[in-house]
């Protein structure tokens, strides 16, 4: 490697290490945010956010808060997994491993997690709305199904990452061929 | 692989060590080891020329084709590498 290439590799390693640490921070922040939300949320806020202010949330019992927290954590699992795979990818870059099978696997798993996130979101919102309004009298219960731009973008980016992982796999084979050429 | 590398035989005949060959040919000892063990995917003509010149031999003294040898079926990519 030339000195310029070595310098570039060193910069990639440093930046990748920082991003790997940032991923851990984001995972912790997400869990803390979910916990803080369900500890402090009021019935009015829940009604506005999940029921479109069309039905009230009558009794926000600790049990309901606990169920809401658990459901939100379940819905956040694809995001947490995505951050885990992203961190693994950055750690590989930090070690100087750019085109290995592990890199390809991490990238394709990241793509799968984003697609899974989009699918989970499609179920999460109706379930949350139903859970929050199930204790209401008839006529004030709500089941809403929606497909948001966020879900579509997540699914699209997940698909893009899968294609990029596919291309990277071909690049990996070319790199392997190059390394095993004397 | 059906291509067998007989470099270790030629090195023994010429009484040359792997590290000497590596230095003269301009490749690493690790690559010489890979070559001897037949784990390389391709060899450049320039490398083959340098080895043959140093060992005073022909490419056929180092490389042999054995049809029944276990390994991957040769495909168009492998042929292009040579």
């Amino acid at each position: 490697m030339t000195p310029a290439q070595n310098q570039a590799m060193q910069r990639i390693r440093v930046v990748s290490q920082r991003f790997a640490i940032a991923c851990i921070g984001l995972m912790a922040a997400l869990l803390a945010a979910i916990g803080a939300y369900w500890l402090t949320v009021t019935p009015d806020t829940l009604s506005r956010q999940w029921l479109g202010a069309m039905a009230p949330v009558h009794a926000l019992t600790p049990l309901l808060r606990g169920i809401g927290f658990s459901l939100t954590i379940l819905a956040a699992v694809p995001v947490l997994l995505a951050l885990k795979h992203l961190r693994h990818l950055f750690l590989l870059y930090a070690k100087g491993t750019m085109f290995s099978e592990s890199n390809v696997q991490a990238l394709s798993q990241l793509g799968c997690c984003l697609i899974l996130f989009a699918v989970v979101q499609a179920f999460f919102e109706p379930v949350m709305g139903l859970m929050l309004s199930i204790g209401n009298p008839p006529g004030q219960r709500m089941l809403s199904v929606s497909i948001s731009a966020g879900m579509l973008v997540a699914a699209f980016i997940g698909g893009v990452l899968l294609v990029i992982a596919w291309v990277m796999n071909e690049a990996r084979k070319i790199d392997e061929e190059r390394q095993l050429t004397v | 692989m059906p291509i067998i590398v007989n470099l270790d035989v030629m090195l023994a005949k010429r009484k040359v060590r792997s590290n000497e060959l590596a230095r003269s040919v301009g490749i690493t000892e690790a690559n010489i080891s890979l070559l001897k063990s037949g784990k390389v995917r391709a060899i450049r003509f320039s490398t083959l020329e340098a080895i043959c010149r140093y060992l005073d031999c022909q490419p056929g003294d180092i490389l042999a084709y054995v049809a029944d040898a276990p390994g991957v079926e040769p495909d168009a990519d492998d042929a292009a590498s040579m």
Side-chain angles (χ1 to χ4, degrees):
Chain A
M1 268 194 190
T2 64
Q5 280 174 326
N6 275 328
Q7 207 176 12
M9 278 297 297
Q10 191 52 31
R11 270 205 301 270
I12 287 171
R13 284 180 175 186
V14 166
V15 170
S16 299
Q17 187 66 40
R18 287 179 188 159
F19 270 101
I21 294 167
C23 286
I24 291 270
L26 278 173
M27 286 164 84
L30 179 62
L31 289 169
I34 292 170
Y37 177 84
W38 283 103
L39 273 175
T40 59
V41 74
T42 61
D44 283 340
T45 309
L46 279 176
S47 172
R48 257 197 327 273
Q49 280 182 346
W50 296 102
L51 306 177
M54 287 160 70
V57 175
H58 282 293
L60 190 53
T61 60
L63 177 65
L64 202 61
R65 283 185 192 268
I67 294 171
F69 172 76
S70 306
L71 279 174
T72 312
I73 289 286
L74 269 173
V77 161
V79 178
L80 292 169
L81 282 175
L83 285 170
K84 175 184 165 279
H85 293 306
L86 190 60
R87 179 174 175 267
H88 181 59
L89 187 62
F90 280 125
L91 285 175
L92 287 167
Y93 292 154
K95 276 197 307 196
T97 308
M98 305 290 169
F99 293 109
S100 74
E101 217 163 324
S102 302
N103 293 64
V104 171
Q105 215 170 6
L107 204 56
S108 61
Q109 280 170 343
L110 179 58
C112 289
C113 284
L114 285 178
I115 293 169
L116 182 64
F117 168 74
V119 169
V120 165
Q121 281 296 109
F123 289 101
F124 174 60
E125 287 177 19
V127 168
M128 186 61 82
L130 194 63
M131 192 267 300
L132 288 172
S133 64
I134 199 77
N136 291 359
Q140 289 185 8
R141 294 171 194 160
M142 207 160 133
L143 174 69
S144 74
V145 179
S146 65
I147 295 174
S148 68
M151 286 181 213
L152 293 174
V153 167
F156 180 74
I157 292 175
V160 164
L161 285 175
L162 285 175
V163 171
I164 291 174
W166 189 9
V167 171
M168 266 207 60
N169 199 29
E170 296 307 311
R172 176 191 67 81
K173 288 175 191 169
I174 292 168
D175 187 54
E176 205 175 87
E177 192 92 13
R178 184 193 62 80
Q179 284 185 18
L180 293 175
T181 296
V182 295
Chain B
M1 204 178 201
I3 300 290
I4 308 293
V5 179
N6 297 315
L7 184 61
D8 46 352
V9 172
M10 194 47 62
L11 284 172
K13 275 186 180 172
R14 297 287 187 260
K15 296 183 178 53
V16 171
R17 291 154 73 131
S18 298
N19 52 8
E20 287 173 37
L21 180 66
R23 262 197 310 274
S24 67
V25 167
I27 61 176
T28 62
E29 266 187 76
N31 280 350
I32 291 284
S33 293
L34 282 173
L35 191 55
K36 278 182 357 182
S37 59
K39 287 179 184 164
V40 294
R41 292 269 180 90
I43 182 167
R44 296 185 186 91
F45 282 151
S46 55
T47 306
L48 188 58
E49 180 197 327
I51 291 172
C52 290
R53 190 184 317 118
Y54 191 78
L55 295 178
D56 187 28
C57 64
Q58 291 293 313
D61 297 328
I62 299 170
L63 304 170
Y65 171 73
V66 178
D68 296 330
V72 179
E73 283 290 318
D75 58 11
D77 291 341
D78 283 343
S81 301
M82 292 296 294

